[in-house]
Amino acid sequence: ILARPASRSYQLQKFAHRNRVLVSGIAAVFGVLLAGAITSSLLYLQKEEQRAAAAQRGVELAAALATAEANLERALGAENLAEQEEGRARTEAETAQAVTDYLVTLFEYANPEHSDGKALNALDLLDQGVERIRGQFQDQPAIRARLLNVFGKIDNWLQRYERSRPILEEALALTAQVHGEDSAEYADTLERLAWVHHEAGDARGAEGMQRRVLALREKHVGRETQLYADALNNLANTLIVLVEHDEARELVEESHALRIRLHGPEHESVAASHFALASLYGNLGRPEEAGEHGAAALAGFLQHLGPSHWRTLLARAAQAEFLRKLDRPAEAVEQARLAVEGLQQLFGPDSLMTTRARRAYAGSLADAGRLDEAALLIEELLVRHEELHGRDADYGDLLMLLASTLQDLGRLDEAESLYLDTLEQDERLGFLHAEERLTVRHNLSVIYADTERLDEALELELAVLAEREPLIGLAHPDARGSLNNLAAIYRKLGRAVDEEQTRRKKLSALLEARAPYLGATRNAREELAEFLERTGRSAEAQALHATE
């Protein structure tokens, strides 16, 4: 056996044998300590588990409490909403009853016993009614706003815009006070006021209001509704006046498609869309499409409303204008005559609706060659309209029509004086739209050319064309009228190069526009070929014919 040092375990064993009592005591103490440590650890772990469980129960309790609070809040909100709806319904019922009672009371005043023996007509009642509203409902703005809306709407319908404007402005302020400017009720009143601005010639003001109405309609009733379709249509009509045809076309076609989705293609509201489309295409200088949609509108109104309804009669008057542009004067005269007779029976000879129908009738008479008869009728309308309404947009339209009729009669001095007077009054009153002003200036240029004032005619027509081209395009009939006049002036001045350039510009614009102007394109090609023949270029003329 090799000698080696004693190991640590051997030494411990020897120590334990020599000191058994001491080692036994230490072992006992160590055992107790170990047992205590194990017990403490177990207790600690148990408490941690209990603490975690308590924390989890706390989280669950907090979540349950939050859910309960949310449910309570929803319940309270639903209760408040129900109370608001109940209150609103009660207010609506009370307001409606007050409006009904007021109107019944108002019409009692038509009885001579209540009006000092004087019989009051409907217009007297309207005017007195508005004054009584302002005094009777000072402390009830909701009722006052509703009543003013009713009377403003009636005045709009009767085309008494000078009366309806202050009424609707007052109603709008009250509606904002009662319901707020972001409400559906505000949109209703604003829509009526926008139409007043439209009819007064303030198309830009009307546009801003109608865009606001459109946004409110979308917010409160949504896009797939009749009210939204109506708002689209109204804005489109104003944009047509502003010669913003691209957006107007998008809006009116969207409105038309929406109405068909909502009601089907035979509904009355779809007939109204056809009416708007007819107006659009008429302003675009596309009379065939305007006539088609005008006929569809008239057929729809006849079906749903009958021949004596005012909308049917207005559609007849509009169709007369489209037929005039289609060179169908006899049909135009008949449609306008029926419109005049019906509107006179409904509203009397002095209403704006009747006046506009009579203007269409006068224009149709002029197109049919009955120029003297047309001139007399227009002069009568001018005098009466100025007495009743002053020199507004309708007065300007009548003035233009009289001047053009006198021009066709060969009474050029009188026509020129009227055109100049129209432009001068427009500078002060602003009753002409952009294209109407250009039409007056174009007609003046034609008179200058016919009276051999060629330099004046050329300068004026060039200025007109420069404005017309970006506004309506060269293919539009009005722009083609300017090109025709320029070509005639250049021919008289012996400026063949300029004449050819003008005729080619017209043909090129029509070829680019294509389908809507096939007849006009054929005429423009023949005019250019005639020019080429006249200037000794027969081969080019024949080649031009060969390209058809």
Side-chain angles (χ1 to χ4, degrees), residues 273-338:
S273 288
H274 280 297
F275 190 87
L277 283 165
S279 176
L280 172 67
Y281 284 118
N283 279 272
L284 286 171
R286 294 161 62 170
E288 290 83 4
E289 291 155 289
E292 289 173 7
H293 283 289
L298 180 56
F301 290 142
L302 282 168
Q303 176 187 348
H304 293 286
L305 304 174
S308 300
H309 194 275
W310 62 273
R311 297 190 77 174
T312 306
L313 296 168
L314 290 182
R316 286 195 187 281
Q319 188 66 357
E321 296 285 12
F322 302 140
L323 290 168
R324 288 180 61 197
K325 294 176 182 178
L326 287 168
D327 198 23
R328 293 157 60 181
E331 296 172 70
V333 167
E334 180 62 13
Q335 290 290 356
R337 182 187 65 80
L338 290 171

Side-chain angles (χ1 to χ4, degrees), residues 7 60 315 404 412 522:
S7 66
E60 292 172 356
S404 65
L412 300 185
R522 183 171 55 254

Side-chain angles (χ1 to χ4, degrees), residues 324 329 333 361-371 374-375 378 401 405 408:
R324 288 180 61 197
V333 167
Y361 181 57
S364 302
L365 290 175
D367 291 344
R370 297 159 63 177
L371 292 167
I378 300 164
L401 182 58
T405 303
D408 291 340

Side-chain angles (χ1 to χ4, degrees), residues 58-242:
V59 170
E60 292 172 356
L61 181 61
L65 181 61
T67 301
E69 289 177 346
N71 290 336
L72 178 61
E73 187 175 349
R74 281 196 296 270
L76 291 173
E79 185 179 354
N80 290 336
L81 182 61
E83 290 177 355
Q84 290 174 10
E85 291 297 327
E86 182 182 354
R88 185 178 301 168
R90 185 166 53 251
T91 301
E92 284 292 313
E94 292 172 354
T95 301
Q97 186 61 50
V99 169
T100 301
D101 293 344
Y102 175 79
L103 292 176
V104 170
T105 303
L106 177 64
F107 278 93
E108 288 178 355
Y109 277 75
N111 188 330
E113 294 179 4
H114 296 92
S115 56
D116 300 326
K118 177 184 176 183
L120 300 177
N121 61 33
L123 296 182
D124 292 331
L125 285 174
L126 282 175
D127 295 340
Q128 288 192 13
V130 172
E131 294 308 314
R132 292 182 61 214
I133 289 168
R134 289 170 174 148
Q136 186 171 341
F137 299 102
Q138 281 296 323
D139 298 328
Q140 297 169 287
I143 295 175
R144 189 152 47 105
R146 178 72 65 83
L147 282 166
L148 288 171
N149 261 304
V150 169
F151 281 85
K153 184 177 181 179
I154 294 171
D155 275 323
N156 263 11
W157 185 65
L158 293 173
Q159 297 180 314
R160 300 202 311 165
Y161 301 117
E162 72 284 352
R163 291 282 308 173
S164 66
R165 180 168 183 165
I167 293 171
L168 289 171
E169 286 174 344
E170 184 177 351
L172 188 68
L174 286 168
T175 303
Q177 175 186 334
V178 174
H179 301 287
E181 294 186 7
D182 202 36
S183 63
E185 292 84 357
Y186 190 84
D188 293 340
T189 309
L190 190 62
E191 189 169 51
R192 296 185 187 112
L193 185 58
W195 188 248
V196 174
H197 282 260
H198 175 99
E199 288 294 308
D202 179 19
R204 283 297 174 200
E207 179 199 4
M209 294 179 183
Q210 287 163 342
R211 290 192 187 278
R212 175 68 176 143
V213 170
L214 190 64
L216 289 173
R217 294 293 190 217
E218 182 175 4
K219 176 179 179 179
H220 291 288
V221 300
R223 297 174 71 94
E224 292 292 312
T225 59
Q226 181 65 47
L227 283 173
Y228 189 78
D230 293 343
L232 287 170
N233 218 60
N234 291 337
L235 177 56
N237 285 330
T238 297
L239 292 176
I240 290 170
V241 171
L242 292 169

Side-chain angles (χ1 to χ4, degrees), residues 458-475:
L458 179 61
E459 180 182 4
L460 183 55
E461 195 65 82
L462 284 171
V464 168
L465 185 62
E467 293 184 46
R468 271 182 166 165
E469 183 174 358
L471 194 64
I472 56 176
L474 291 177

